[in-house]
Amino acid sequence: MVFFMFLFEVCFVFWIISVASGPSPYYGVVGLVFGAVFGCLMLVGVGGSFISLVLFLIYLGGMLVVFAYSVALTGDPYPSAWRGYVDLFCMVSYVLFVVGAVMYCFDEWSLEGYGDVVMDASGLFSVRMDYVGVSWFYYYGCVMFLIAGWGLLLTLFVVLDLVRGLAWGTIRSI
Amino acid sequence: MNPHANMIIMSSLILGPMITITSNHWIMAWVGLEINMLAIIPLIAKQHHPRAIEASIKYFLTQAAASSLLLFSIINNVWNTGQFDITQSTNTMSSTMMTAALTMKLGLAPFHYWLPETLQGTTTMMTLILTTWQKLAPLTLLMMINQSLNTSLLVTLSLLSMMIGGWGGLNQTQLRKIMAFSSIAHLGWMTMILTLSTKLTLLTFYTYITLTTTMLLTIKLLETNKMSTAMTSWTKSPMLNAMMMLNLMSLAGLPPLTGFMPKWLILQELTKNHMTIIATTSAILSLLSLFFYIRIAYYSTITLPPNMTNYSQQWRHKNQQKPYLPLMIITSSMLTPIMPTFMMIM
């Protein structure tokens, strides 16, 4: 089980690095898909199976599909893939950064109890065992729910305002 | 901009810092910062020319990186202490990372590189909002966690900010970039005294807001953005030009104007804590900013040939007037004698 968690984490970091180091967003979405898959598997490993399924459904099935549709609509004649030594250098430096961060902060993130507790998270009891949390989000967390919804609505309007107009939209001016 | 989008964006711009200021849960504080950042991006890029869009991209990248660093340190703090309370953030590594993240949001040195270019690329009203309203939420968070902050780190950052704010502003001719470097230097003064007395940080912040608002509204009214156009802008409103000089001297911290009050109290507090060398250094570093403030004041009141000294103001007056500007000028020049009232209020 410890090995599974470790494997999922390594694969997650690998795909996220491929998102960060790729020059084109069209091939970076591949990294997002697989990174999200391994992220959901990591969530299962610490006991959040329901949250993992919800994330899988909404993120991959909702937002990435919408992204793919909008990409197909705008169209890009010559998307570029990973090429040459520039992106290799980016990838290697990201890997070194992650390894360096883990080594530097090793005292804070000790490996005691790694993977053999579920739902406990070393004293931080933040994930529930049952499914009543969804209804509690609407009841106890009403204000947070409203603010989160407002934030998402705001993001929609901000993005719409930034890309409005074909000739003087934000993406074209760069 | 579309009126519906404008309404949502304006109300989110006000809602974001309000959420951050009134929260005691770290996640809500972070949500407020994110709403604030998202709301101001299209406002910076409102004019849609490449300079404004580049300014908004620079703003977005810096603030997003700072937000993710802040979220990372929040999660580390939760992992260590088991609770999300802001005032109980006692993990050392988390406090240091939070300091880095919040100073990145404020524009303190050494994370100040985005500030002059972002302020230069957008309109004067957006410069006003970016230098005054946007500083509210990160400074509030810094004040809430001030007990677990490292004094030496903050003093180092603030001295560096005063140096960069002073030296960086010396070579500038654009007024908005000068206001950016003045903002960096003033934020340095604010964070210097953060761990010793949050009252004084708040007092410095309010004074800075008043002075910067007055200066930027004067710049907007005179419709000048460079020192070369500031030389001939006195014909639009000669009295305002004279008052602008008073405001600039107040920004520099000269007694008996308002800007002297926070500097004096900060130096007193530093001396009480036996940090006299730091106090002397910061007083000397504020001389650098004094030079470019005096330069602006000199160039705006200069007599430029072929004009004569008694040249009358331009015959066609501008329609835009700001009725609250005289009140702000008085507030930015005359508050030092009633300093005990402010100490009592704070």
Side-chain angles (χ1 to χ4, degrees):
Chain A
M1 192 56 201
V2 176
F3 174 72
F4 272 126
M5 277 301 290
F6 185 66
L7 179 69
F8 293 154
E9 285 166 8
V10 168
C11 295
F12 177 67
V13 171
F14 170 73
W15 284 112
I16 294 301
I17 286 177
S18 85
V19 171
S21 66
S24 159
Y26 306 109
Y27 293 107
V29 181
V30 173
L32 271 184
V33 169
F34 289 106
V37 166
F38 285 109
C40 292
L41 288 171
M42 274 161 55
L43 274 179
V44 171
V46 290
S49 52
F50 182 63
I51 290 183
S52 164
L53 280 175
V54 168
L55 179 70
F56 203 84
L57 201 68
I58 305 301
Y59 192 72
L60 289 184
M63 293 201 287
L64 276 178
V65 166
V66 170
F67 179 78
Y69 279 157
S70 48
V71 159
L73 284 175
T74 56
D76 185 16
Y78 309 107
S80 54
W82 287 268
R83 80 225 178 268
Y85 294 107
V86 178
D87 294 325
L88 179 68
F89 178 68
C90 285
M91 221 180 271
V92 166
S93 51
Y94 282 129
V95 168
L96 285 177
F97 173 70
V98 168
V99 168
V102 167
M103 282 168 53
Y104 180 69
C105 304
F106 198 74
D107 296 327
E108 298 284 332
W109 304 334
S110 71
L111 284 180
E112 294 177 9
Y114 185 78
D116 61 348
V117 287
V118 169
M119 293 293 187
D120 191 357
S122 304
L124 183 67
F125 297 92
S126 58
V127 184
R128 287 187 66 90
M129 297 284 286
D130 51 13
Y131 305 113
V132 78
V134 179
S135 62
W136 281 16
F137 189 41
Y138 287 83
Y139 179 55
Y140 291 112
C142 175
V143 179
M144 174 74 187
F145 184 55
L146 285 174
I147 291 175
W150 180 262
L152 291 175
L153 184 68
L154 170 71
T155 314
L156 170 70
F157 273 94
V158 162
V159 171
L160 280 178
D161 190 68
L162 282 176
V163 301
R164 187 166 50 113
L166 280 179
W168 44 274
T170 312
I171 311 294
R172 281 293 292 264
S173 288
I174 302 169
Chain B
M1 202 192 286
N2 185 15
H4 308 291
N6 204 12
M7 184 202 73
I8 290 188
I9 285 169
M10 286 293 178
S11 45
S12 303
L13 187 61
I14 299 175
L15 183 69
M18 287 291 121
I19 293 177
T20 304
I21 292 169
T22 57
S23 72
N24 50 9
H25 194 276
W26 263 121
I27 296 291
M28 292 311 289
W30 181 80
V31 162
L33 284 172
E34 289 297 295
I35 288 179
N36 188 25
M37 172 183 76
L38 280 174
I40 206 168
I41 299 293
L43 289 178
I44 298 177
K46 197 181 213 172
Q47 294 170 315
H48 290 279
H49 55 77
R51 190 116 193 226
I53 293 170
E54 187 184 317
S56 70
I57 289 175
K58 281 178 184 162
Y59 186 78
F60 173 68
L61 285 177
T62 318
Q63 303 279 314
S67 283
S68 54
L69 189 62
L70 183 66
L71 190 63
F72 180 60
S73 55
I74 289 170
I75 290 176
N76 257 334
N77 186 42
V78 167
W79 182 265
N80 199 352
T81 59
Q83 41 84 30
F84 280 94
D85 199 5
I86 294 183
T87 50
Q88 312 286 330
S89 318
T90 50
N91 186 19
T92 315
M93 185 178 87
S94 300
S95 308
T96 315
M97 272 198 293
M98 275 170 199
T99 313
L102 292 169
T103 51
M104 213 189 291
K105 279 197 170 286
L106 283 173
L108 275 177
F111 311 114
H112 65 282
Y113 292 99
W114 58 275
L115 194 60
E117 287 140 36
T118 306
L119 291 189
Q120 178 64 24
T122 180
T123 60
T124 313
M125 284 313 274
M126 275 307 122
T127 307
L128 177 61
I129 294 179
L130 278 169
T131 46
T132 54
W133 183 252
Q134 298 292 97
K135 311 285 182 223
L136 200 63
L139 209 58
T140 311
L141 286 176
L142 273 176
M143 281 196 279
M144 280 200 257
I145 59 173
N146 77 323
Q147 282 135 6
S148 41
L149 291 178
N150 191 2
T151 307
S152 2
L153 174 68
L154 276 176
V155 166
T156 310
L157 287 179
S158 58
L159 278 179
L160 202 60
S161 305
M162 287 183 218
M163 275 188 235
I164 288 182
W167 265 308
L170 285 181
N171 201 22
Q172 306 296 333
T173 54
Q174 298 281 337
L175 289 178
R176 282 170 295 179
K177 278 197 181 167
I178 288 181
M179 294 314 292
F181 285 105
S182 120
S183 159
I184 295 172
H186 279 272
L187 281 170
W189 278 95
M190 280 180 233
T191 50
M192 169 90 83
I193 205 70
L194 191 66
T195 48
L196 299 175
S197 163
T198 52
K199 260 170 42 162
L200 287 180
T201 306
L202 209 54
L203 180 69
T204 316
F205 184 54
Y206 291 155
T207 316
Y208 159 73
I209 284 184
T210 315
L211 300 174
T212 310
T213 310
T214 315
M215 185 65 197
L216 284 168
L217 285 175
T218 309
I219 290 176
K220 184 171 190 333
L221 194 66
L222 295 175
E223 285 185 356
T224 154
N225 272 323
K226 310 191 270 262
M227 286 212 265
S228 55
T229 51
M231 282 186 192
T232 52
S233 67
W234 63 272
T235 53
K236 293 173 194 163
S237 173
M239 182 55 83
L240 184 59
N241 228 8
M243 296 298 120
M244 184 167 87
M245 187 185 77
L246 276 185
N247 194 22
L248 283 165
M249 295 301 107
S250 191
L251 267 172
L254 290 181
L257 303 169
T258 307
F260 176 62
M261 172 172 63
K263 286 196 166 69
W264 169 28
L265 294 168
I266 287 176
L267 291 176
Q268 182 186 13
E269 193 66 36
L270 284 173
T271 319
K272 271 193 227 168
N273 282 285
H274 305 288
M275 293 162 74
T276 44
I277 298 181
I278 293 171
T280 318
T281 314
S282 49
I284 291 177
L285 285 174
S286 70
L287 288 175
L288 294 165
S289 336
L290 174 66
F291 175 70
F292 57 77
Y293 293 133
I294 287 183
R295 186 162 63 186
I296 302 175
Y298 177 63
Y299 284 159
S300 64
T301 51
I302 201 172
T303 304
L304 201 61
N307 299 327
M308 302 176 295
T309 320
N310 296 338
Y311 205 70
S312 57
Q313 61 187 107
Q314 62 185 30
W315 64 277
R316 187 183 295 168
H317 287 269
K318 295 282 175 183
N319 278 337
Q320 53 160 354
Q321 286 174 3
K322 308 218 178 296
Y324 44 85
L325 197 53
L327 174 64
M328 301 210 64
I329 290 172
I330 292 177
T331 320
S332 71
S333 317
M334 294 190 171
L335 286 185
T336 306
I338 54 171
M339 184 269 293
T341 313
F342 290 105
M343 289 309 291
M344 208 168 57
I345 294 175
M346 295 288 153

